[in-house]
Amino acid sequence: MPLDEIDFEKRSGVPYSGWAFSKSHLNPFYDRAHAVCKLGSFAYEAEAWEDAKSPQLPFIGDRVTTDMFQFGPRDIFTNEYRKEINQSPNITTYLNANVVEIETDETANTNSV
């Protein structure tokens, strides 16, 4: 599911909210990410998924909406891309690990481990 516009906005009461760019900056990369992750087409509107057998539910008003999510194969990076990732000199792989913080230099151009 792509991020929403509001995800990029600074919001009072939400610490550290706001991004240095807008959602439109990421849009060109979604199609490529879908291809790499084998998600299918970049379609998240309910209308793109409905057909005669699976019509969209007829909600009245705008209080309830239908949102679409897409999930690719769970093991695509650990199986299909494993050899390529292991051979890459600029990728370090950590399995079963959670990122809790990303530290960067003052310009946010370089991270540190």
Side-chain angles (χ1 to χ4, degrees):
M1 176 99 185
L3 296 168
D4 293 322
E5 287 286 345
I6 196 167
D7 295 324
F8 294 85
E9 298 173 5
K10 183 160 180 57
R11 293 177 274 167
S12 62
V14 180
Y16 311 110
S17 62
W19 289 43
F21 52 85
S22 68
K23 179 181 183 279
S24 62
H25 181 79
L26 286 182
N27 286 339
F29 301 98
Y30 278 119
D31 280 325
R32 183 173 162 201
H34 270 243
V36 169
C37 296
K38 301 194 184 246
L39 292 173
S41 64
F42 181 63
Y44 287 89
E45 299 79 25
E47 295 80 18
W49 292 87
E50 70 179 330
D51 58 22
K53 289 183 178 181
S54 303
Q56 190 176 164
L57 296 173
F59 295 121
I60 298 171
D62 60 356
R63 292 185 66 191
V64 177
T65 61
T66 301
D67 290 323
M68 304 307 295
F69 287 77
Q70 295 188 54
F71 300 92
R74 268 183 70 159
D75 60 355
I76 191 159
F77 290 99
T78 55
N79 286 339
E80 187 163 336
Y81 297 135
R82 177 179 290 232
K83 184 177 179 183
E84 186 177 347
I85 290 170
N86 287 340
Q87 291 176 346
S88 178
N90 63 341
I91 297 176
T92 302
T93 304
Y94 298 95
L95 300 177
N96 303 312
N98 297 319
V99 174
V100 294
E101 183 177 9
I102 298 175
E103 296 180 9
T104 66
D105 63 8
E106 297 79 31
T107 63
N109 288 322
T110 305
N111 65 4
S112 58
V113 178

